[in-house]
Amino acid sequence: PTLDIPELYADAFSISNRFNPAANARTATAVQTAIFILIGFIPALGQTTATLVEEKRVGFREHLHVMGCGTMEYLAGAYLSAFIRTTPLVLIVTIMARIIWWKGLDVLLIWIALELYVAAKVSFGLFLPSIVRSTVWAHVTLQLVVTAPVVCGPLITSTPAWLQILLCTFLPGLTSWYALSYALSSATIDFAVSYGGAVGIMIGQCIVYALASQYLHRVFPGEFGAAA
């Protein structure tokens, strides 16, 4: 008996079982490239999360409140600082993808996936200061909940569809990997979570985690705050 390598790739990455070596090679490359790209955001977004935890410890929000700045100003500053830190990497990825990747690639889809990944990760980072006290634990929690599922993405695609959707609902990194893999493969992937579905989930994650972070800040205001 002989092994059909394209068929094995199709089974491993949960794509349509087609005898098309070119399509399957593109899919395999896309899912692995998506992992490396998202891992590249670890330093910048990790620094943003550590800053949020440190600001909670020293009562930075309370200082802003004294100066007349409210919740919206604080949230705007958190997201803006993250976007500034990650803008060079986002530009490099989108430009290089346009230059060296396969023809027919929609760079806009890649840009949207990356920016939503940044926003979702910041929203989760806003959630962390209420549950962890040190920057070290903030980094550990961020990597376990957001980055680790990215690395495990190809394995998760072999699980039942309902489980994939459930995991994507709570794990921003995994959802971003689905969206970016789909964009890089130019829709040759048949995942349980489509690009549009992943984008919708990430938008929901941004809203839910941001709102939850503000609720927890009021319930557990810390040493310098007062619940309101």
Side-chain angles (χ1 to χ4, degrees):
T2 60
L3 293 176
D4 193 307
I5 301 302
E7 185 177 3
L8 293 179
Y9 264 96
D11 291 337
F13 295 108
S14 299
I15 64 175
S16 300
N17 194 3
R18 298 162 295 185
F19 294 93
N20 187 341
N24 290 335
R26 180 167 186 162
T27 297
T29 304
V31 297
Q32 297 301 325
T33 302
I35 292 175
F36 289 115
I37 290 175
L38 295 178
I39 287 177
F41 284 83
I42 290 178
L45 294 177
Q47 181 59 42
T48 297
T49 302
T51 300
L52 292 172
V53 172
E54 184 64 16
E55 288 174 352
K56 173 79 171 182
R57 188 184 68 81
V58 300
F60 179 71
R61 292 187 66 169
E62 287 67 42
H63 289 294
L64 289 179
H65 182 71
V66 171
M67 292 187 295
C69 299
T71 299
M72 294 304 298
E73 289 80 1
Y74 177 77
L75 293 178
Y79 285 105
L80 182 60
S81 65
F83 284 126
I84 291 175
R85 284 192 178 106
T86 57
T87 292
L89 181 56
V90 171
L91 290 177
I92 290 172
V93 170
T94 52
I95 292 173
M96 293 303 294
R98 188 70 179 87
I99 294 174
I100 66 176
W101 208 259
W102 284 285
K103 293 181 179 179
L105 189 66
D106 194 334
V107 177
L108 179 61
L109 296 182
I110 297 176
W111 181 80
I112 292 174
L114 292 177
E115 294 293 5
L116 282 176
Y117 173 62
V118 173
K121 204 165 183 179
V122 173
S123 297
F124 184 78
L126 289 167
F127 179 79
L128 287 181
S130 298
I131 59 177
V132 298
R133 298 295 182 181
S134 70
T135 56
V136 174
W137 281 110
H139 276 292
V140 171
T141 305
L142 189 71
Q143 305 318 324
L144 288 177
V145 177
V146 180
T147 306
V150 172
V151 180
C152 299
L155 297 178
I156 294 175
T157 60
S158 62
T159 62
W162 66 266
L163 181 57
Q164 296 181 52
I165 296 172
L166 180 64
L167 291 174
C168 283
T169 301
F170 297 100
L171 303 175
L174 180 62
T175 316
S176 304
W177 176 80
Y178 273 87
L180 188 57
S181 297
Y182 190 92
L184 289 173
S185 69
S186 293
T188 60
I189 294 178
D190 185 20
F191 282 153
V193 180
S194 65
Y195 180 86
V199 167
I201 291 174
M202 283 191 286
I203 293 174
Q205 289 169 344
C206 292
I207 296 173
V208 171
Y209 279 127
L211 291 177
S213 70
Q214 300 316 298
Y215 173 77
L216 289 177
H217 176 70
R218 292 178 179 272
V219 175
F220 306 105
E223 179 182 356
F224 300 98

